[in-house]
Amino acid sequence: MFSRQQILYSIISDGHRLLDLGQVDDRLTPQTFNPRPNQWQCVVRRAQQRRGIIDGLVRQWLNYQEMSEKLRRWLQELTRDPDVHQPGEPVALQEARSLLGQIQRQQGVYILTVEAGRSLLLTADARAESTLQTELMEIQDRWRHAHHHLDQQKRELHGLLKNWERCEKGIDVSLEKLRGFKRKLSVPLPEHHEELHSEQIRCKVRNYLPLFSQFLSLRRQQVSEKLNEWAIFNEKNKELCEWLTQMESKVSQNGDISIEEMIEKLRKDYQEEISVAQENKQQLQTMGERLARASQDSKAAEIQHKLTKVSERWQHLLDLIAARVKKLRETLVAVQQLDKNMSSLRSWLSNIETELSRPIVYETCNKLEIQRKLNQQQ
C-alpha cells in the first residue's frame, strides 16, 4: 500500500506537469487526475479496517493462549503438588482465604478461556479450528477432572470461614462480657474493714463463673491483701515494740567497755540503728492512720492507742539516750578531775614521805625546840 501510494502521487504529478507543458492530448484535462486520490483514500480506509479486524483477532488469539497456558499450568500443579490442601487437613485462616480466592479466580479464568476459544472458532480456518477444538476439549476434560476436588475444597473452605466468623462473633460477645466484668472488678477496693469482708464474700459467690475465674482470683487476692494489712500492722507494731525494749536495755547497760567507748556507741552506733528504725516507725504510722480511717470506732481507737504508745516509747528512748550521754559525760569529767586530784595528792604524799624519811635535827636540845618540831610535823 505504501509503495503503490508513492507511484500514484508520481503519476498525478507527472500528468499535471505534462498538461502545463501542452505535451498531451487535448482530451486530457486536470479533472482527469482528480478522482484518483479519492479512490485511493477508499482503498486505504478498507485496508485499515481489514488491519483492525486482523489486529483484533490476533489479540483474541494472544489473550486466549495466555489464559489457557496459565490455566493449564495451574491444573497441572493442582494434580501433582503434594502441598495442595487436602480435604480434612488443618489450614491457617489466611491460607484458607487465599485458597478460596484462588479457586474462585481460576474458575473465572476457565470460563473466560472457554468463551474466548469458542469465539475464535467462528473465524478460524480448518486447521486452526481443529487445533482449537482439541485444546478446548483438553482444558474442559482437565477441569472436569479437577472440579470435584475443587468443589469439595471450596465447600470446606467456605465452611471453615463461616465457622471462623461464628467464633469471632462468639469471642466478641465473650470479650464484651469480660470487659463489663472487668469494669466491675476494677472498681477501687473499699477501705473499711467490714466492706472488705463483704467484697470477699461477693467474690466467693461469683466463683461459679469459670469464664471469670482469673479476674475473681485476682480480686480475691487483692481483698485478702487489703484485709491482711491489719495483721501486718499488728506484726510490725510488735516488732517495733520489741526493738524498743532491746534498745532501752542496751542503752541502760555499761558492759565491759570504757566510758568513752560507751559514749561513742550512744552517739554513733545506736544512732544508726535508730535511723533505720525511724523509717519502719514512719511506715507503721502511715499504715496505722490509714487503717484507723478505714475501721470502726473501737478498732480505730485501738490502732490509735498503739500508735500513741509507740510514739511515747520512741520519745522515751531518745530521752534515755540523751540522759545517758549526759550522765556519762558528767561521770567522765568527774573521773578526769579525780585523776587530777589523785595525781596532786600522790605528789604531795611523795614529798611528805621524803620529808618524813629525813632524820630530825634539833638546833638546841630543850623543850621549846622539841615543841617547835612537833608543831611543824603536825
Side-chain angles (χ1 to χ4, degrees):
M1 290 288 294
F2 288 120
S3 62
R4 299 299 181 183
Q5 186 176 18
Q6 296 299 323
I7 295 173
L8 174 63
Y9 287 153
S10 178
I11 292 172
I12 294 173
S13 177
D14 291 344
H16 282 291
R17 182 172 56 78
L18 292 174
L19 284 174
D20 292 337
L21 295 176
Q23 297 178 1
V24 295
D25 192 344
D26 292 339
R27 290 177 299 174
L28 296 175
T29 64
Q31 287 74 17
T32 305
F33 303 99
N34 288 339
R36 304 301 177 189
N38 294 334
Q39 293 175 4
W40 180 255
Q41 291 300 327
C42 291
V43 173
V44 170
R45 282 195 297 272
R46 285 196 297 271
Q48 289 176 344
Q49 291 173 356
R50 181 70 172 176
R51 179 180 178 180
I53 294 171
I54 294 173
D55 287 343
L57 290 173
V58 169
R59 283 193 297 272
Q60 289 182 25
W61 275 101
L62 292 175
N63 185 43
Y64 162 77
Q65 289 172 351
E66 182 180 358
M67 289 191 299
S68 63
E69 182 60 27
K70 288 182 179 179
L71 182 62
R72 191 178 292 109
R73 284 201 303 268
W74 184 75
L75 289 172
Q76 288 176 350
E77 292 174 359
L78 186 67
T79 56
R80 70 186 181 191
D81 189 358
D83 295 331
V84 173
H85 173 66
Q86 300 297 325
E89 289 184 355
V91 61
L93 178 64
Q94 294 299 328
E95 185 182 352
R97 288 175 175 164
S98 175
L99 286 172
L100 184 59
Q102 190 178 17
I103 292 172
Q104 292 172 342
R105 285 193 301 273
Q106 294 301 330
Q107 189 170 10
V109 171
Y110 167 74
I111 294 172
L112 292 176
T113 302
V114 173
E115 290 180 351
R118 289 173 178 172
S119 177
L120 289 174
L121 285 174
L122 301 176
T123 56
D125 58 16
R127 188 177 64 177
E129 181 180 359
S130 176
T131 302
L132 192 57
Q133 285 181 342
T134 302
E135 290 180 358
L136 288 176
M137 290 177 63
E138 179 188 358
I139 291 174
Q140 289 173 333
D141 288 341
R142 287 190 175 184
W143 183 263
R144 279 192 295 269
H145 178 71
H147 181 265
H148 176 72
H149 172 72
L150 291 174
D151 192 53
Q152 183 179 357
Q153 191 176 45
K154 186 166 67 173
R155 285 196 302 270
E156 184 176 338
L157 292 174
H158 271 301
L160 175 64
L161 294 176
K162 287 182 179 179
N163 288 336
W164 184 268
E165 291 175 358
R166 285 196 296 270
C167 288
E168 282 187 332
K169 290 179 181 178
I171 289 173
D172 290 339
V173 172
S174 299
L175 187 60
E176 188 59 34
K177 290 181 180 179
L178 282 172
R179 288 193 181 114
F181 197 72
K182 185 179 179 181
R183 283 193 295 270
K184 293 180 181 179
L185 294 179
S186 299
V187 175
L189 291 175
E191 294 294 334
H192 289 281
H193 191 266
E194 291 71 18
E195 294 177 353
L196 284 169
H197 272 297
S198 300
E199 180 67 18
Q200 190 177 43
I201 293 172
R202 281 195 295 271
C203 288
K204 289 181 180 179
V205 171
R206 294 184 185 132
N207 195 34
Y208 70 92
L209 297 172
L211 186 60
F212 307 134
S213 59
Q214 184 176 359
F215 291 114
L216 287 170
S217 176
L218 178 60
R219 185 70 167 183
R220 284 197 301 272
Q221 180 181 352
Q222 292 172 346
V223 172
S224 298
E225 290 175 354
K226 196 80 172 178
L227 287 171
N228 198 36
E229 287 186 349
W230 274 266
I232 294 174
F233 169 78
N234 291 329
E235 185 65 25
K236 288 184 176 295
N237 180 74
K238 180 182 177 183
E239 291 175 358
L240 186 57
C241 289
E242 290 176 352
W243 178 85
L244 286 168
T245 302
Q246 292 175 0
M247 285 300 295
E248 289 171 352
S249 176
K250 289 165 65 174
V251 169
S252 302
Q253 294 176 0
N254 288 334
D256 298 330
I257 60 177
S258 64
I259 296 176
E260 292 88 343
E261 291 174 340
M262 188 62 189
I263 293 175
E264 184 65 18
K265 269 187 170 297
L266 290 170
R267 290 181 61 253
K268 185 177 179 182
D269 297 345
Y270 292 171
Q271 286 299 327
E272 291 179 356
E273 291 187 45
I274 291 174
S275 298
V276 174
Q278 177 71 33
E279 297 181 4
N280 297 333
K281 177 180 175 296
Q282 185 59 44
Q283 293 176 0
L284 182 69
Q285 183 74 24
T286 303
M287 180 184 291
E289 292 174 353
R290 177 163 50 80
L291 293 177
R293 290 193 299 268
S295 303
Q296 289 183 341
D297 294 342
S298 59
K299 192 73 174 178
E302 179 186 347
I303 293 173
Q304 193 60 46
H305 173 73
K306 290 181 178 180
L307 293 176
T308 303
K309 195 68 175 177
V310 166
S311 297
E312 290 175 353
R313 292 194 61 184
W314 185 271
Q315 188 60 46
H316 175 264
L317 176 63
L318 297 180
D319 295 341
L320 180 62
I321 292 175
R324 182 70 170 153
V325 170
K326 181 180 178 182
K327 184 66 176 177
L328 287 172
R329 283 176 176 171
E330 291 174 352
T331 303
L332 181 61
V333 170
V335 169
Q336 290 172 348
Q337 185 64 41
L338 177 62
D339 288 343
K340 183 178 179 182
N341 294 338
M342 290 294 290
S343 177
S344 299
L345 182 59
R346 279 192 295 271
S347 297
W348 179 81
L349 287 171
S350 177
N351 293 332
I352 291 299
E353 289 173 351
T354 302
E355 288 291 332
L356 293 177
S357 64
R358 294 173 183 173
I360 300 174
V361 178
Y362 296 94
E363 295 180 359
T364 58
C365 188
N366 55 33
K367 185 178 180 179
L368 291 175
E369 179 68 11
I370 293 172
Q371 187 64 43
R372 187 178 66 80
K373 290 289 184 180
L374 182 61
N375 292 336
Q376 183 181 5
Q377 292 300 317
Q378 287 177 347

